[in-house]
Amino acid sequence: MRFRDFFKGKTRPVISFEIYPPKTKRGLHALKSRLLPKLIELGPSYITVTYGAGGSTQGETLEIASTVKNELGLEAACHLTCVGASKSEIDDIIGRIRTEGINNIVALRGDPPTGQDQFVAHEEGFNHANELVEHIRATEDSNSRVGLAVAGYPEKHLEAESLDVDIENLKRKVDADADIVITQLFYDNDAFYDYRDKVAAAGIDIPIVPGLMPIQSRSQVQRIASLCGATLPKNLLGQIEDAGDDDEAVKVIGTEQCTAQSQGLIRNGAPGIHYYVLNRSPQIRRIVRAL
Ligand code: FAD
């Protein structure tokens, strides 16, 4: 199935998980033998696998997605970025993704590599994700057509001069024939509802799937806020400050918050939820079971 198929005529919210390739062989083994079966038990529609900076996890991204699809029998998606890659290198990766029978790609520009302030495209590559989407669509036929997800930012992409401009740029990706939008994480549902209204007003009518990441520790919260600009509601921030370095207490707060956030989104018409799992299952199990 392609992304679009999961959302057509759905009777239940579409739940999906995002994982990343571990750095070590031992981590990879643990992911395949323990994490993936636990996640699959929760009944997600598909699992997506991130792509490391500059393609650093290319092989592992594909290997994990292939395990999900070909050994565990669940649809998988490979993330793919334009960082440091020429068109022909990207074609080569897409060819390998298709050969593994993976039908879905999360098409991204990617962040500048560490030490660089600005994204600089490969001289024979792509400047923005809409160009990657256009390229993929131009090089496929109805038999090889993949499902394409693109990224959306309820609180604006950090580089964008305004949310309106960012939504104009989102529209380029949608007009290039993306199937769904998966959003950056956020903690305030009102940000998502406002975004959804603005996106609809811009003429975008494909599913906008909220991306959520349960809070695991105080340091994680600080990191996230500076990396992607997600705003934390004051009362949530207060609870986390009160829990201090007690990570177990913060996890309980994070689980309750993410459960309530998920329930609110579903009640208010979100087509599904994409969870940033961070390769740990206990919180996600509690949240999805409560849902
Ligand atoms: P773009 O859509 O190209 O947007 C980047 C910036 O350029 C925005 O400010 C936008 O407004 C502007 N822009 C877009 N198009 C144009 C245009 N045609 N002309 C002028 N300006 C334009 N990163 C990874 O490295 N690996 C991953 O696996 C990964 N997975 C992700 C999954 C999700 C769901 C999300 C939300 C993000 C993910 N990222 C990942 C992070 C992502 O790569 C960064 O946020 C990156 O900075 C932007 O990628 P993009 O695809 O949104 O880029």
Side-chain angles (χ1 to χ4, degrees):
M1 284 172 81
R2 275 70 178 165
F3 282 126
R4 192 173 289 196
D5 305 321
F6 291 104
F7 294 89
K8 237 189 257 159
K10 69 178 179 62
T11 51
R12 292 180 351 141
V14 176
I15 300 299
S16 55
F17 298 139
E18 176 172 317
I19 56 175
Y20 62 84
K23 288 205 174 76
T24 62
K25 285 249 175 293
R26 209 165 140 208
L28 188 60
H29 177 73
L31 180 136
K32 287 184 182 180
S33 59
R34 292 204 294 276
L35 179 69
L36 283 176
K38 281 184 184 160
L39 291 177
I40 288 178
E41 236 176 64
L42 299 172
S45 293
Y46 53 87
I47 290 179
T48 78
V49 191
T50 65
Y51 194 75
S56 56
T57 64
Q58 204 184 97
E60 289 83 358
T61 299
L62 187 54
E63 182 181 337
I64 296 167
S66 176
T67 302
V68 172
K69 169 89 197 211
N70 300 313
E71 292 175 33
L72 301 168
L74 185 78
E75 283 298 340
C78 287
H79 293 216
L80 176 61
T81 76
C82 309
V83 181
S86 66
K87 281 182 197 164
S88 67
E89 283 163 338
I90 284 180
D91 285 340
D92 184 49
I93 301 162
I94 295 170
R96 277 189 276 143
I97 292 174
R98 288 196 172 112
T99 304
E100 287 296 324
I102 313 288
N103 295 321
N104 294 289
I105 294 175
V106 182
L108 303 143
R109 185 200 69 179
D111 283 320
T114 316
Q116 266 181 36
D117 294 345
Q118 278 188 330
F119 177 87
V120 180
H122 186 286
E123 53 185 19
E124 288 167 20
F126 303 111
N127 286 294
H128 287 289
N130 66 296
E131 296 170 17
L132 175 60
V133 175
E134 277 158 26
H135 179 74
I136 295 174
R137 288 300 184 223
T139 52
E140 65 186 5
D141 57 30
S142 55
N143 290 326
S144 59
R145 190 180 164 87
V146 289
L148 288 179
V150 292
Y153 302 86
E155 296 179 84
K156 172 182 107 55
H157 184 258
L158 281 178
E159 292 166 29
E161 61 184 72
S162 70
L163 185 58
D164 288 343
V165 170
D166 205 24
I167 290 174
E168 278 170 30
N169 289 327
L170 175 69
K171 184 135 192 325
R172 296 176 201 265
K173 300 192 267 196
V174 176
D175 289 347
D177 205 5
D179 295 302
I180 64 167
V181 175
I182 303 176
T183 78
Q184 182 59 281
L185 61 94
F186 59 92
Y187 292 97
D188 180 356
N189 282 357
D190 284 341
F192 177 78
Y193 303 141
D194 290 348
Y195 183 66
R196 188 173 60 178
D197 290 347
K198 285 193 169 148
V199 161
I204 294 172
D205 63 355
I206 61 174
I208 311 292
V209 185
L212 299 185
M213 182 189 280
I215 291 168
Q216 296 181 343
S217 67
R218 191 165 63 155
S219 57
Q220 178 210 21
V221 166
Q222 287 155 351
R223 221 174 30 246
I224 289 167
S226 67
L227 278 180
C228 71
T231 316
L232 272 106
K234 266 202 184 114
N235 58 345
L236 178 61
L237 206 52
Q239 285 176 30
I240 293 165
E241 288 302 332
D242 289 347
D245 292 328
D246 182 350
D247 280 356
E248 283 315 307
V250 175
K251 276 196 188 106
V252 172
I253 295 165
T255 304
E256 284 171 3
Q257 184 278 335
C258 192
T259 303
Q261 194 182 2
S262 306
Q263 288 166 334
L265 287 164
I266 299 294
R267 264 200 305 273
N268 284 288
I273 299 184
H274 183 73
Y275 289 102
Y276 296 103
V277 170
L278 291 181
N279 291 13
R280 295 194 185 102
S281 67
Q283 273 185 305
I284 294 293
R285 282 158 79 91
R286 287 192 195 103
I287 293 161
V288 172
R289 292 210 162 124
L291 263 191

